[in-house]
Amino acid sequence: MSIYLRRFISLILFGFIYFSLSAFSDVPDSSPMQHAGALSPSKSIVDYLVSEKLDGVRGRWDGGRMLTRSGNEITLPSWFAQGFPKQALDGELWIGRGQFDAISALVRRGETDDHLWRQVRFMVFDIPNLALPFAERYHYALEHFSTLSPYLVIIPQWELHDRQELDRLLDSVVIAGGEGLMLHRKAALYRNGRNQDLVKLKLFEDAEALVIAHHPGKGKYQGMLGSLEVKTPEGIVFRIGTGFSDEQRKAPPAIGTTVTYKFYGVTQYGIPRFASFVRIREPL
């Protein structure tokens, strides 16, 4: 890891923490959910419970159905939700670290293949309709939902004492292949929308943009994709030239596709630094 990147990461961990931009999609987010905001440098870590950020498909269990963040029903095998409570739950459908593409494809295809779904867990991190502070909602979930089903898991929450401890936990999660951390303010009630009661913390930012053009490659990429020209929801236009496999360069994301990219801060003009392709963001 370069010295520049280490210094940048250090800035992130001591307060200059950025958060991912809202999903850029033609489909409105019609399902009321809480979304992560940015951690203010003045906030104390002891005010939060901390969990691993899971790279899965956001799911809202409404007591009888599983819904995507846009309110579409997810087709589940008949046995998967047996034992789930009648109470609404907020969480992620998750297979494991680095398996986002697999769970995303499974949900989008609407398949109920038993073999594939037995790898999935509904990882619960909140109870939207329970009017208690988050710390109490978490303990309520542990007490009432932990043994209902092997396919329903309460995400562990940790108490930390300072930013150095947060730094070490973030490093260990990332080294193990995780994405980052989520910080939940202990005293907060569940609130829809983006706010500081729920904070996303990563070593890098990620966001989404619309593909507006392809630019040809040179040298070893002759006849293949060189870079994507993309446009953010705020109207910033820039190019992404790294992060692609050879197969993706031969068959790049189509113009009009929404892609996820990662980056390390922005320039004075708002252009993402060191932007790198992550994946095509399929609508759910």
Side-chain angles (χ1 to χ4, degrees):
M1 185 183 292
S2 68
I3 293 176
Y4 177 84
L5 184 54
R6 287 182 182 277
R7 288 176 177 173
F8 184 79
I9 291 171
S10 177
L11 286 175
I12 292 177
L13 296 176
F14 281 89
F16 299 96
I17 298 172
Y18 295 92
F19 58 92
S20 296
L21 300 174
S22 300
F24 184 55
S25 172
D26 292 333
V27 180
D29 185 359
S30 59
S31 179
M33 289 182 173
Q34 183 167 245
H35 300 288
L39 180 64
S40 166
S42 65
K43 299 296 183 182
S44 172
I45 298 304
V46 298
D47 292 336
Y48 292 84
L49 288 175
V50 182
S51 61
E52 180 175 345
K53 181 187 181 301
L54 303 181
D55 192 14
V57 170
R58 184 77 175 267
R60 167 69 68 87
W61 174 252
D62 71 355
R65 300 174 301 159
M66 188 72 71
L67 306 175
T68 68
R69 63 187 299 164
S70 55
N72 297 319
E73 184 172 357
I74 297 172
T75 303
L76 303 174
S78 59
W79 49 263
F80 184 85
Q82 287 181 3
F84 280 25
K86 297 298 183 182
Q87 209 157 354
L89 302 174
D90 201 353
E92 298 268 334
L93 289 166
W94 189 69
I95 293 177
R97 290 167 172 162
Q99 296 296 314
F100 174 81
D101 289 342
I103 182 60
S104 177
L106 181 60
V107 169
R108 284 185 287 106
R109 289 196 303 264
E111 294 182 1
T112 56
D113 183 289
D114 284 0
H115 173 71
L116 296 175
W117 274 99
R118 291 196 190 281
Q119 303 174 53
V120 179
R121 298 293 182 272
F122 182 46
M123 307 294 291
V124 175
F125 52 72
D126 216 333
I127 311 171
N129 299 331
L130 189 60
L132 293 172
F134 177 75
E136 294 182 41
R137 297 200 302 275
Y138 170 58
H139 289 294
Y140 181 96
L142 287 176
E143 181 179 350
H144 292 86
F145 306 144
S146 292
T147 60
L148 296 182
S149 165
Y151 302 102
L152 188 155
V153 178
I154 309 303
I155 298 176
Q157 302 285 340
W158 301 294
E159 291 193 71
L160 304 180
H161 300 94
D162 52 43
R163 290 182 182 258
Q164 288 72 32
E165 211 172 341
L166 185 68
D167 185 346
R168 290 192 293 272
L169 178 60
L170 179 61
D171 283 345
S172 67
V173 166
V174 172
I175 289 171
E179 268 214 333
L181 302 174
M182 300 298 295
L183 283 68
H184 306 252
R185 194 165 67 86
K186 296 176 183 178
L189 299 177
Y190 191 98
R191 290 194 293 158
N192 296 327
R194 196 172 302 280
N195 56 74
Q196 287 197 358
D197 294 338
L198 178 63
V199 176
K200 183 188 303 181
L201 179 60
K202 305 168 90 171
L203 292 183
F204 57 84
E205 301 176 68
D206 61 18
E208 295 176 354
L210 189 69
V211 177
I212 59 175
H214 295 158
H215 294 277
K218 300 178 181 179
K220 70 175 183 177
Y221 296 135
Q222 186 74 36
M224 302 163 65
L225 175 73
S227 64
L228 294 177
E229 186 168 339
V230 300
K231 185 176 182 179
T232 71
E234 293 74 29
I236 301 295
V237 176
F238 64 100
R239 294 188 184 187
I240 300 174
T242 62
F244 305 101
S245 66
D246 286 350
E247 290 72 21
Q248 288 166 334
R249 289 187 183 277
K250 293 174 183 175
I255 292 172
T257 300
T258 297
V259 297
T260 300
Y261 63 94
K262 65 180 180 180
F263 63 108
Y264 298 87
V266 297
T267 70
Q268 61 179 318
Y269 304 107
I271 298 173
R273 296 180 185 273
F274 313 115
S276 178
F277 175 79
V278 176
R279 64 173 69 93
I280 294 174
R281 190 67 175 184
E282 303 287 354
L284 294 173

